[in-house]
């Protein structure tokens, strides 16, 4: 009987898929508002939006994350599940090179979509009287999502190199 074993690149791709799913529940965008009134009273307001476009404050009516986040992250999750599935059905799978080439291409596309979304995040405008400071931009989920995309591309490209496919006994010695 054939022993089913997952390769290290496939294991890493599976872990990245899980991290991509986890990142969807983290804040992807945040806005911090600080208003200073005439008597030195300060009012602070903070809002975050996760990867599913769920706001921490119910009043936000802008699409912050949307499909340009959902599609790449769910693609990474599907690639991770596929990498694990290669263990369950070894005779029905693509060759290692074919699979890692598909992963690299989809990882590059996912990276491009996320960077486009990141660059087009909603930036609220504040009053012009100078009493309100506004910071709006990416949060932890964005950074983890982009890191996952880059990591899946690097791992799949490294898996395509000839040195990555050698067993330890075949590795060149440092003599």
């Amino acid at each position: 009987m054939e022993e089913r074993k997952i390769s290290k690149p496939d294991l890493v791709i599976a872990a990245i898929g899980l991290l991509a799913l986890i990142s969807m529940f983290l804040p992807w965008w945040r806005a911090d508002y600080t208003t200073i009134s005439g008597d030195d009273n300060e009012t602070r307001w903070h809002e975050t939006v996760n990867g599913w476009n769920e706001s921490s404050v119910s009043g936000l009516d802008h699409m912050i994350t949307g499909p340009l986040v959902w599609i790449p992250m769910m693609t990474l999750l599907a690639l991770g599940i596929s990498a694990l599935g290669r263990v369950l059905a070894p005779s029905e799978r693509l060759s290692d090179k074919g699979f890692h080439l598909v992963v690299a291409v989809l990882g590059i596309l996912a990276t491009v979509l996320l960077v486009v979304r990141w660059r087009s995040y909603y930036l609220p405008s504040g009053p012009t009287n100078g009493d309100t400071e506004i910071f709006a931009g990416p949060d932890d989920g964005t950074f983890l999502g982009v890191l996952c995309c880059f990591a899946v591309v690097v791992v799949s490209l490294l898996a395509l190199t000839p040195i990555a496919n050698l067993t330890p006994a075949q590795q060149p010695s440092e003599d």
Side-chain angles (χ1 to χ4, degrees), residues 49-131:
V49 175
N50 69 14
W52 304 110
N53 207 58
E54 295 291 324
S55 175
S56 62
V57 177
S58 61
L60 188 68
D61 60 349
H62 292 279
M63 176 67 76
I64 303 294
T65 53
L68 288 178
V69 169
W70 306 329
I71 292 170
M73 293 296 97
M74 293 302 101
T75 299
L76 293 184
L77 177 62
L79 291 174
I81 291 169
S82 297
L84 286 177
R86 291 165 47 85
V87 175
L88 301 175
S91 61
E92 303 276 328
R93 67 182 191 178
L94 282 173
S95 67
D96 284 344
K97 271 191 166 184
F99 177 73
H100 291 115
L101 184 61
V102 168
V103 171
V105 169
L106 290 175
I108 290 168
L109 290 173
T111 304
V112 168
L113 287 175
L114 271 187
V115 170
V116 165
R117 178 69 265 180
W118 182 357
R119 300 299 301 153
S120 63
Y121 274 157
Y122 167 66
L123 300 174
S125 58
T128 57
N129 61 11
D131 291 340

Side-chain angles (χ1 to χ4, degrees), residues 11 13 37 41 45 49 72 101 123-124 148 155:
L11 186 61
I13 291 168
S37 61
N41 287 337
W45 180 63
V49 175
L101 184 61
L123 300 174
C148 286
V155 167

Side-chain angles (χ1 to χ4, degrees), residues 18 20 26 35-36 51 73 90 107 109 122 152 175:
L18 179 62
L26 296 175
T35 303
I36 301 171
M73 293 296 97
L109 290 173
Y122 167 66
V152 81
D175 299 325

